[in-house]
Amino acid sequence: PEIGQLYIWGAELGIRGNPTRRFSYFFNLTHLDKKIELPEGRVPARDDLAYLLVGGVQYVSAKGDIFSLTVNARPGLRYTPVIGGVPRPAFDTYQPLYGTDVNGSRLDDYRKISLGYSRSFPIRKSTSLLEFVNIANLENRANAQGVFYSTNYERVLINEFPGLALYFGGILNW
């Protein structure tokens, strides 16, 4: 749909702390109310979110090893479903027919829990190497990223973010 004016308001609550010298935590909760003005009235935007939760804990060992656990969660993004397709033989394609409820459907809720480890190693006086490893999406959850359709719009295809993933690497600082 053609986008008119956007109406956005939100609120965020953040808490951060260090209960001990080696242990820290953070917690952010955000509410985003986002609407689009269309000829038929205001409708929720794709990323209208009742909540966006980001939180984590971190532990730093006496040797400098850093262990972390993070959580991200939010409702699924909104979309307007396609209910069919009209053949356009002159162009060898189909034109989508959208449902009447603009952004009235929602993907499944998103949640990702990740575990991380990092450590910095001095190389010279002003040079160090930060090595890290992260295991993302520990639950191997199928988090929906978007909706796609077959060429004739008869089949709905859900594109997903990567499942369980391992990231590792290093950063040279000088």
Side-chain angles (χ1 to χ4, degrees):
E2 187 67 29
I3 294 180
Q5 191 147 351
L6 288 176
Y7 297 89
I8 304 171
W9 78 269
E12 182 172 6
L13 169 68
I15 300 171
R16 183 174 296 272
N18 292 76
T20 70
R21 200 179 73 168
R22 302 195 183 284
F23 179 75
S24 63
Y25 64 88
F26 72 96
F27 174 82
N28 291 320
L29 178 61
T30 304
H31 171 80
L32 179 64
D33 185 40
K34 188 173 179 182
K35 304 285 188 253
I36 303 169
E37 185 74 42
L38 296 177
E40 59 268 21
R42 288 186 190 174
V43 297
R46 180 175 193 267
D47 54 352
D48 178 65
L49 302 174
Y51 66 91
L52 170 61
L53 170 68
V54 180
V57 294
Q58 179 176 286
Y59 174 78
V60 180
S61 76
K63 293 182 179 181
D65 301 292
I66 301 172
F67 300 91
S68 63
L69 179 70
T70 57
V71 177
N72 296 283
R74 62 169 169 74
L77 299 177
R78 295 176 175 273
Y79 68 98
T80 304
V82 174
I83 57 175
V86 177
R88 298 290 183 211
F91 301 103
D92 194 29
T93 188
Y94 287 78
Q95 179 180 346
L97 292 174
Y98 290 94
T100 57
D101 194 11
V102 177
N103 285 343
S105 293
R106 197 184 270 280
L107 297 170
D108 291 339
D109 290 350
Y110 175 95
R111 184 177 68 234
K112 182 173 81 171
I113 301 172
S114 300
L115 186 63
Y117 169 80
S118 65
R119 184 164 183 188
S120 184
F121 297 94
I123 296 175
R124 290 192 212 144
K125 186 176 182 179
S126 62
T127 307
S128 64
L129 175 66
L130 175 67
E131 293 183 344
F132 62 88
V133 62
N134 186 283
I135 304 170
N137 197 358
L138 286 173
E139 299 174 292
N140 197 25
R141 186 177 164 95
N143 286 310
Q145 185 175 15
V147 178
F148 295 91
Y149 297 89
S150 60
T151 55
N152 62 0
Y153 297 98
E154 290 181 2
R155 288 186 319 146
V156 177
L157 310 165
I158 303 295
N159 185 35
E160 297 173 347
F161 286 102
L164 181 67
L166 176 67
Y167 301 95
F168 60 91
I171 301 171
L172 185 61
N173 298 301
W174 68 90

